[in-house]
Amino acid sequence: MTDKENKNTPPGRTYSSIVVDGVEQAPSRAMLRAVGFTEEDFSRSQIGIASTWSMVTPCNMHINTLADEAAAGANSAGGKAVIFNTITVSDGISMGTPGMRYSLVSREVIADSIETVVGAEGFDGFVTVGGCDKNMPGCVMAMARMNRPSVFVYGGTIRPGAKRRDIVSVFEAVGGASSGRVSEAELLEVEQTAIPGPGSCGGMYTANTMACAIEALGLSLPNSSGQDAVSDAKMADCRRAGEAVVELLRRDIKPSDILSREAFENAITVVIALGGSTNAVLHLLAMAYEARVPLELDDFTRIGARVPVLADLRPSGHYAMSELVEIGGVMPLMKMLLDQGLLHGGCMTVTGRTMAENLADTAPYPDGQKIVRGFDRPIKKDSHLVILYGNLAPEGAVAKITGKEGTSFTGSARVFGSEEEALQAILDGAVVAGNVVVIRGEGPVGGPGMREMLSPTSAIMGKGLGDSVALITDGRFSGGSHGFVVGHVTPEAAAGGPIGVIEDGDTITIDAESRVLDLDISAEALEQRLKNRTGPGEPPPPGVLQKYARLVGSASRGAVTIKTSPAE
C-alpha cells in the first residue's frame, strides 16, 4: 500500500487524492495551479460542475450563470468546484430537418462526455446542470454510471410568449398557414413573439417532463423542476445543489443508494399524473439500464392502470409550466400522490432524507386553481401513455392517448419513407380524414437517430385534422406532439419490423382500450410480405451517425448504445 493510499483524507476524497496527493503528482498540481487551485484546494474534495451552457438554444443560454452559482455553493461548503462543459443540440431548431437525427444521439454523447471528464479528472462528486431535452437523461445516465455523489439541476422553464404562446404555437401556425387559416402576417407575428428568452420549452413537453421525473427519482433537490429559468429561486437551487454534493460526500450517499426500482416507479407515476411526454418512456428505460435497475415497457402499463392524469398542461391541455410554477410546482402534486398511496415515500433522495420526509411540510395547491385536478375528477382515470402490441408492434409501441382524441382509430394507410415526405403530403392536402399516416425508416437504426415527428403532428393539428387523422412511426414524438399518435414502433423497419411492409390503402387499427396496433391482413399474407421485403438501404456516411446505428439497440429497451441487456 502506498503513502498516497494511506493518507488521511477527508471523507469522499478517494478520487481526487489519487490525482493530487504525493510527490509523484507534482505535475498534476502544477497544471491545476494554472487554472486557479491554491495550496489549500489540494486537500479539498473536488466537485465537477457539468454545464450544458450553449448559445445554440434558449433552453441553455443561461446555464453558464447557473453553473457559476452551483460552483459557488460547492466552494462555500468546503469543496473545490471545477466547471466543465458538455454539448447540447436544439430539438426545436433542428426539428423537421436532417439535423434532428443528431438529437437522440446527443443524449449518448452527453453521458459519455460527462463520464469521460469526471473519470479522467478524478472528481469526488459532481453537479450536472441541464436544459434542453436530451441534456437531462444524458446527465442522469452519467450519474448512474459513475456512481459518485451527485445532484442534477434543471435549468428551468421558459416564460410564455405573447398571448401565452410557446414553440408549439409556431409549429401549429405553420400548419394553419398551409390551410389558409393563418395569414403570413399572423405567422410572422407568432414567430416573433413565441420565445421571449431563456428556458426550456414551456409546456409539459420533454424537458419539463424529464425535470419532474428526475425530481421524483430523488436526484434533484425539492422543487428544482418547478422554477422559472430566470428567477431567484433557480439561482438558489443551484447554490444549494453545490452545497448538497459536499454533504452527500460526507455521508457517502451515491446514486446507487437513490436509484431503486421504487424510485423509477415514482418517476413513472409523476410523469403520468402530469400528462408527460412519450419520450419519458424511452429515457427512463435508458436511465434504468445505466442504473442496472430492471425496468420494461410493461411496467408503464402496470403503473398506469392505477395512476390518473391530473394536470391540465400543454400540449393536450391548457396551461404552461410557468403557470404550474406559480401555484407551487410539482411538489404539491407529489404530496397528493403520496397521500393517495401512489408514491413510495421511503425512497432516499439527494437531500439525505426520504421522499416522504421531503414532502412532509408541502403546502397544498391554492383553492380555486384549475391546473391540477383532484382524484375525484381526473382528466383521465388511467395513464395517457399506452403501450400497444399487435402484428405491427410485436415488441411494443408507445401511444399518447389523453382521451380527447378518442380511444380507438381505424383508417387507411398513407405510407411515407421519411418525415419530410409525410410533412409535404400533409401540407399539400394529400392526407385526408380517415388516413393513418405511416412514417417509417426513422427508428434508432433506420434514421439513424429516431427523429421526433413534431412537424407532421403539428401540421395535422394546424390543418384541423387532429381528430380525424392518426399517425404511427418507428421514430418518436416531441413532447409537444398531440393528437392520435403512436411512436417507438418496434421492431423498427430497419430491423425487419412489420411497419416496413405496410402498403398504401392497408387498414390499420389502433385501440387504446385493448392496447392493440394491428394491420388488417392475415398472418400468412404478413409473413409473405416480410419474406419478400427488400433489405436495409445504404448505411450513413462515416461519423457519429454511423457509429450510433451500429451500436444502438431497440427503442423498446431505451435505445441505449449497447445492444445487449444489463444481464448479458
Side-chain angles (χ1 to χ4, degrees):
M1 185 174 288
T2 66
D3 289 343
K4 189 188 307 182
E5 290 169 324
N6 276 321
K7 191 172 180 67
N8 183 21
T9 59
R13 266 204 70 222
T14 305
Y15 300 102
S16 63
S17 64
I18 293 172
V19 173
V20 300
D21 289 356
V23 172
E24 66 272 30
Q25 296 308 124
S28 303
R29 295 192 297 273
M31 295 191 75
L32 289 169
R33 291 178 196 277
V35 297
F37 272 60
T38 65
E39 196 67 42
E40 185 181 55
D41 290 335
F42 294 122
S43 62
R44 295 181 174 183
S45 298
Q46 289 189 31
I47 310 298
I49 310 292
S51 168
T52 58
W53 171 81
S54 172
M55 290 304 289
V56 164
T57 169
C59 307
N60 294 63
M61 63 187 287
H62 62 303
I63 284 178
N64 55 337
T65 304
L66 303 186
D68 287 341
E69 200 68 16
N75 290 336
S76 69
K80 172 57 181 174
V82 181
I83 298 175
F84 65 96
N85 277 94
T86 183
I87 67 158
T88 191
V89 301
S90 172
D91 293 5
I93 295 171
S94 63
M95 195 73 69
T97 76
M100 187 64 193
R101 293 189 173 94
Y102 291 90
S103 172
L104 189 57
V105 177
S106 77
R107 185 188 74 180
E108 312 306 305
V109 175
I110 291 164
D112 291 351
S113 63
I114 293 174
E115 175 197 347
T116 299
V117 176
V118 170
E121 299 305 308
F123 295 141
D124 301 302
F126 58 106
V127 176
T128 59
V129 190
C132 202
D133 296 5
K134 306 312 167 296
N135 300 169
M136 283 165 275
C139 287
V140 170
M141 289 162 72
M143 292 164 70
R145 283 182 200 171
M146 298 309 292
N147 199 32
R148 301 182 191 185
S150 46
V151 175
F152 174 79
V153 175
Y154 179 41
T157 188
I158 196 172
R159 297 286 300 172
K163 302 180 183 178
R164 299 179 65 247
R165 291 175 178 137
D166 61 17
I167 186 61
V168 176
S169 306
V170 189
F171 279 98
E172 293 187 359
V174 171
S178 74
S179 65
R181 300 166 68 205
V182 175
S183 70
E184 287 187 14
E186 288 170 329
L187 176 59
L188 179 61
E189 196 255 336
V190 172
E191 174 191 330
Q192 291 174 334
T193 61
I195 311 295
S200 298
C201 297
M204 191 47 62
Y205 311 144
T206 302
N208 282 314
T209 297
M210 293 312 302
C212 296
I214 293 167
E215 183 172 332
L217 279 172
L219 285 182
S220 58
L221 294 176
N223 214 35
S224 183
S225 66
Q227 297 156 348
D228 290 334
V230 180
S231 65
D232 291 342
K234 181 47 65 183
M235 295 293 279
D237 179 44
C238 294
R239 179 174 283 269
R240 287 195 302 269
E243 295 167 350
V245 171
V246 177
E247 178 63 15
L248 290 172
L249 278 166
R250 189 185 69 78
R251 297 180 59 178
D252 193 30
I253 297 175
K254 301 182 290 294
S256 59
D257 300 309
I258 295 169
L259 294 176
S260 63
R261 181 174 172 82
E262 290 76 15
F264 278 95
E265 291 184 350
N266 284 348
I268 293 170
T269 296
V270 169
V271 167
I272 292 169
L274 289 167
S277 167
T278 54
N279 279 317
V281 178
L282 193 75
H283 296 323
L284 286 169
L285 289 169
M287 290 151 57
Y289 175 90
E290 298 292 356
R292 296 301 185 258
V293 171
L295 194 72
E296 57 187 27
L297 282 175
D298 291 343
D299 289 316
F300 290 83
T301 299
R302 176 178 55 82
I303 295 167
R306 59 189 178 88
V307 179
V309 179
L310 299 176
D312 188 15
L313 294 167
R314 297 174 183 171
S316 55
H318 296 93
Y319 297 97
M321 183 66 184
S322 62
E323 293 168 305
L324 182 64
V325 169
E326 289 173 0
I327 64 168
V330 75
M331 287 186 69
L333 172 63
M334 291 172 65
K335 183 65 161 59
M336 291 168 58
L337 294 166
L338 179 68
D339 291 345
Q340 198 73 13
L342 295 174
L343 286 186
H344 302 286
C347 293
M348 178 56 65
T349 74
V350 290
T351 64
R353 300 181 297 171
T354 66
M355 180 66 70
E357 289 170 335
N358 288 344
L359 295 173
D361 298 325
T362 301
Y365 289 120
D367 292 339
Q369 63 83 24
K370 298 179 180 179
I371 302 174
V372 179
R373 297 188 184 182
F375 289 96
D376 58 337
R377 55 184 194 94
I379 291 169
K380 190 171 185 287
K381 64 179 177 62
D382 54 9
S383 180
H384 64 301
L385 299 175
V386 181
I387 309 303
L388 306 175
Y389 293 94
N391 65 3
L392 276 181
E395 294 178 9
V398 182
K400 186 177 185 180
I401 308 293
T402 65
K404 296 178 181 179
E405 313 85 353
T407 58
S408 65
F409 192 101
T410 297
S412 175
R414 290 283 284 114
V415 182
F416 303 96
S418 71
E419 178 186 6
E420 288 86 352
E421 292 177 18
L423 177 61
Q424 195 59 54
I426 296 164
L427 295 177
D428 290 345
V431 170
V432 299
N435 283 163
V436 177
V437 175
V438 178
I439 306 177
R440 63 192 182 200
E442 293 284 8
V445 174
M450 205 179 182
R451 290 193 289 178
E452 293 180 346
M453 303 293 137
L454 180 57
S455 294
T457 59
S458 296
I460 288 169
M461 300 303 293
K463 283 275 195 178
L465 296 170
D467 59 353
S468 59
V469 168
L471 190 153
I472 71 170
T473 181
D474 54 7
R476 58 196 176 94
F477 295 109
S478 162
S481 293
H482 58 125
F484 215 107
V485 296
V486 181
H488 309 201
V489 174
T490 55
E492 62 173 293
I499 190 173
V501 297
I502 301 172
E503 298 175 359
D504 278 333
D506 282 344
T507 298
I508 294 173
T509 295
I510 308 163
D511 191 327
E513 293 289 343
S514 58
R515 302 182 181 276
V516 166
L517 176 61
D518 267 345
L519 180 63
D520 187 19
I521 62 174
S522 68
E524 293 77 15
L526 179 57
E527 183 179 358
Q528 192 60 46
R529 286 192 193 182
L530 289 168
K531 284 181 179 178
N532 293 339
R533 64 164 292 158
T534 57
E538 290 295 315
V544 68
L545 292 180
Q546 188 179 96
K547 293 177 187 176
Y548 183 83
R550 287 176 176 172
L551 292 172
V552 71
S554 171
S556 64
R557 295 195 295 183
V560 293
T561 48
I562 301 174
K563 292 196 176 186
T564 57
S565 68
E568 295 172 312

